[in-house]
Amino acid sequence: MTDLADLLNAERSGAVARHGGRDYGFAEFRATVGHWCELLADQAETRYALFCHDAYPFAVLLFALWHCGKQVTLAANNRPGTAQQLRQAGCRLIGDWEAGFDYRLEQNLNFRSAFSRLQTQPVRLEIFTSGSTGAAKSIVKNLSQLQAEVDTLEKLWGKTLADSRILATVSQQHIYGLLFRVLWPLATGRCFHSQTALDAEHLVAQAGAGPACWVASPAHLKRLDAAAPWAGLAGLSAIFSSGGPLAADAAAHIAQGCGQAPWEIYGSSETGGIGWRRHPEPLWRPFAGLSLSIADDKAYLNSPYLPDDKPMALDDDLALAADGRFSLHGRRDRIVKIEEKRLSLNELEMRLTATPWLSEVHALALSGSRDLLGVCAVLSEAGKTAMAERGRKALIGNLREALQPWFEAVLIPRKWLFLSALPTTTQAKLDRPLLQTLMRSGDARLPLLQTAELAAERAELGLKIPQQLIYFADHFPGYPILPGVVQIGWADYFGKLLFAIDAPFNRLETVKFVKPIRPDYELQLTLDWRSGSNKLNFRFSQAEQVYSSGRLVYAAGAA
């Protein structure tokens, strides 16, 4: 194993990376880094913002910048808003900020100049990540911290990997991908694949013959289904996962499908790696040399991967077991992971309320087969006008367009709910559980809720009837319509969700089904709750046309 500080002076043969359909050897890597050093040495800028889609040119530029004494900033994305902020911070952009950047990878192998050993403390890597306040947070790492993490990874899993090639479905622009798919392979002489695989099928195709490992995330792993390439995955030497805990059922499914469970890594950009686990073990084991403690109901970390020996307070809730292992119980702040991308919900809300169309916003993460973002919002007067004149779809298009300069596509909200006011609890606090339920994702039994006008005992809900509802399959073939009993069930469901209905159902009154409700219809469900008589009136309508109506009566005198 070679120290990263002296990597370019190592005597090494074999492939460094597979990029663009061929393997690049160590001599080619060294020569290209040297060429870039000559180009960059005379540049006046000292700070560079590096972004590359592929891992091999990223590694070339990273080591060239370090050997030129430049400070490197890793950008999480190459969106226009990110580029603007980095320029304003004094960074020169390098890499895939615009199409067609020339990486000059084909260099003369006669390059023979020696490289000075990197000074591990002065070598700096700045990582911008989402902060809990909404502003991007700068985290600075030095090379000795990164080397310490690489050393730990090799001690734990070096024998398991042996001479495996390293393939990934995660980006090297984040600390996990940087360590696992670039720095660790470079230090150990393992060949890494430059292109980020789109999914398991692409990864297995990339792997070909010979041992390989997969650097993955829960977002990719939990989507493995019966059609996944299990035979190819079974031949992998290891599967790694980070970016959030992997659900136990997903880990068990993978273990059953390919004969091995993933190795899960817990940590963050701020802390570096903290611990690991492997199904069926539910608890996490701290990495060697780390210790965790609890004080004042908060967790603290002591780690050699931190910039000093001071304990760092963690934003995660965790519980310590007697043997030093620990369990995780969510975050204290509003940082979420969507498809392994880290996002501050506060920042997203800040960007949305800066538009002229929204006066209040609450963003939330929605879990399902694919994680996504939802937004509950109150329209401003301009927003109400836009909705009335151009419609809901056009308004959402404007909001998504306003977010695109700042966020990657996966971090643009997919579900939107416009309310007359954000609901509150009896303690006048935002009713987060209610909003989470209203935005419920991936349920094939419920309509899509688009708007909600809420009052004390009245609600007007704008619904879209998805084609994917389970009720349409057999009712009726060739002419699907929504069963009446389902309409009554929805009235009961939303009534109990929005009003204080705590009595059992008693009977129906004056129920009328006037017109059939078909897939993709957009309707209004009006609910009137009469608490004095325990009666809930409902009406499904579109403009002046009533589709169904009736009354649900609940038992009187219930506690």
Side-chain angles (χ1 to χ4, degrees):
M1 183 162 165
T2 305
D3 279 354
L4 296 169
D6 211 27
L7 174 68
L8 295 177
N9 291 320
E11 294 293 332
R12 182 176 291 179
S13 60
V16 168
R18 184 162 186 81
H19 174 76
R22 77 172 184 89
D23 288 350
Y24 282 79
F26 184 75
E28 292 175 290
F29 174 65
R30 190 176 182 278
T32 310
V33 172
H35 177 74
W36 274 103
C37 281
E38 293 173 351
L39 293 176
L40 295 168
D42 296 332
Q43 302 297 320
E45 293 88 353
T46 59
R47 297 182 63 194
Y48 282 76
L50 175 60
F51 181 90
C52 302
H53 292 298
D54 293 335
Y56 178 63
F58 171 92
V60 166
L61 290 180
L62 177 64
F63 275 84
L65 289 164
W66 276 347
H67 276 278
C68 289
K70 309 294 187 181
Q71 178 178 324
V72 182
T73 295
L74 290 193
N77 60 62
N78 62 344
R79 305 304 301 156
T82 302
Q84 178 186 356
Q85 284 186 327
L86 289 168
R87 286 194 188 99
Q88 291 173 347
C91 290
R92 180 174 176 176
L93 308 183
I94 188 168
D96 291 322
W97 295 96
E98 295 181 1
F101 182 82
D102 185 2
Y103 284 102
R104 304 169 183 253
L105 299 180
E106 312 301 324
Q107 292 302 314
N108 189 334
L109 299 185
N110 293 325
F111 183 88
R112 290 290 182 267
S113 298
F115 288 88
S116 299
R117 179 180 172 83
L118 292 172
Q119 299 299 309
T120 57
Q121 294 300 330
V123 169
R124 288 160 56 89
L125 182 71
E126 183 181 31
I127 303 170
F128 275 109
T129 189
S130 298
S132 58
T133 63
K137 182 178 181 181
S138 171
I139 301 160
V140 176
K141 302 280 186 180
N142 60 51
L143 192 57
S144 61
Q145 292 172 272
L146 299 172
Q147 183 69 56
E149 294 219 51
V150 167
D151 292 343
T152 297
L153 298 180
E154 182 63 15
K155 288 176 183 176
L156 273 172
W157 293 296
K159 291 182 179 179
T160 300
L161 295 189
D163 59 350
S164 297
R165 289 194 169 211
I166 312 302
L167 295 89
T169 48
V170 300
S171 169
Q172 72 284 341
Q173 296 293 139
H174 304 274
I175 189 69
Y176 167 53
L178 170 70
L179 289 167
F180 275 71
R181 69 175 299 198
V182 176
L183 298 184
W184 185 16
L186 284 174
T188 56
R190 296 187 182 97
C191 177
F192 62 89
H193 280 232
S194 181
Q195 185 181 19
T196 303
L198 298 176
D199 50 35
E201 287 74 14
H202 287 88
L203 183 124
V204 168
Q206 280 185 14
C213 87
W214 180 9
V215 181
S217 72
H220 295 98
L221 295 175
K222 72 180 185 179
R223 290 201 288 269
L224 295 175
D225 55 19
W230 292 112
L233 297 177
L236 297 175
S237 58
I239 301 172
F240 295 101
S241 176
S242 189
L246 181 64
D249 58 348
H253 178 64
I254 295 165
Q256 182 179 11
C258 67
Q260 63 170 323
W263 300 93
E264 294 185 69
I265 316 300
Y266 162 59
S268 68
S269 299
E270 297 93 330
T271 63
I274 296 176
W276 59 274
R277 71 176 181 181
R278 195 182 198 195
H279 179 80
E281 175 57 60
L283 298 181
W284 301 82
R285 299 175 182 271
F287 286 120
L290 282 71
S291 63
L292 292 161
S293 58
I294 306 291
D296 299 324
D297 199 33
K298 196 165 189 177
Y300 290 86
L301 171 69
N302 281 286
S303 170
Y305 312 149
L306 298 175
D308 51 44
D309 58 1
K310 296 179 181 177
M312 174 181 280
L314 300 180
D315 290 318
D316 293 302
D317 280 324
L318 56 83
L320 289 177
D323 60 1
R325 295 180 299 168
F326 60 94
S327 56
L328 294 175
H329 303 283
R331 289 186 65 96
R332 295 171 177 267
D333 57 20
R334 300 192 68 223
I335 303 296
V336 297
K337 290 285 185 72
I338 303 294
E339 303 290 301
E340 95 262 348
K341 305 289 186 182
R342 177 166 155 155
L343 171 73
S344 165
L345 295 177
N346 289 338
E347 181 187 3
L348 184 70
E349 293 167 359
M350 178 182 69
R351 299 292 180 194
L352 286 171
T353 52
T355 71
W357 303 293
L358 303 181
S359 59
E360 291 183 80
V361 176
H362 178 71
L364 61 166
L366 303 170
S367 296
S369 60
R370 187 181 291 265
D371 293 338
L372 53 89
L373 284 164
V375 165
C376 304
V378 177
L379 296 174
S380 64
E381 289 305 315
K384 293 176 184 176
T385 301
M387 175 86 88
E389 293 179 350
R390 302 197 301 276
R392 183 177 186 273
K393 184 176 180 179
L395 174 59
I396 291 174
N398 290 338
L399 292 167
R400 291 172 61 88
E401 186 177 351
L403 294 176
Q404 285 172 358
W406 305 101
F407 303 100
E408 296 176 79
V410 73
L411 299 181
I412 303 294
R414 299 277 300 278
K415 296 192 72 173
W416 300 78
L417 172 60
F418 299 111
L419 302 112
S420 54
L422 294 182
T424 57
T425 66
T426 54
Q427 291 79 33
K429 295 183 178 181
L430 182 68
D431 195 337
R432 299 176 193 273
L434 174 59
L435 290 177
Q436 192 80 36
T437 304
L438 290 174
M439 295 289 283
R440 202 159 133 190
S441 178
D443 194 322
R445 298 167 298 172
L446 293 172
L448 176 63
L449 182 61
Q450 297 183 321
T451 61
E453 297 279 336
L454 304 179
E457 293 194 341
R458 181 180 175 84
E460 295 182 3
L461 309 179
L463 309 178
K464 182 170 183 178
I465 314 302
Q467 291 187 13
Q468 298 79 14
L469 291 176
I470 60 175
Y471 314 112
F472 288 134
D474 301 312
H475 196 270
F476 295 96
Y479 190 80
I481 62 174
L482 189 69
V485 67
V486 174
Q487 300 171 45
I488 295 169
W490 285 355
D492 178 68
Y493 171 79
F494 284 110
K496 289 179 176 177
L497 189 63
L498 299 173
F499 310 126
I501 301 177
D502 54 6
F505 172 76
N506 184 282
R507 67 184 184 277
L508 292 171
E509 293 181 348
T510 64
V511 175
K512 297 178 182 178
F513 298 106
V514 181
K515 291 192 67 175
I517 297 175
R518 310 255 353 252
D520 286 333
Y521 276 20
E522 294 190 9
L523 303 172
Q524 185 176 59
L525 171 58
T526 302
L527 298 172
D528 282 297
W529 169 237
R530 309 295 172 84
S531 57
S533 58
N534 273 14
K535 295 182 179 182
L536 177 68
N537 294 296
F538 74 89
R539 183 177 71 253
F540 287 89
S541 62
Q542 186 181 70
E544 300 301 319
Q545 176 65 59
V546 176
Y547 283 76
S548 64
S549 63
R551 183 181 304 120
L552 285 76
V553 182
Y554 296 87

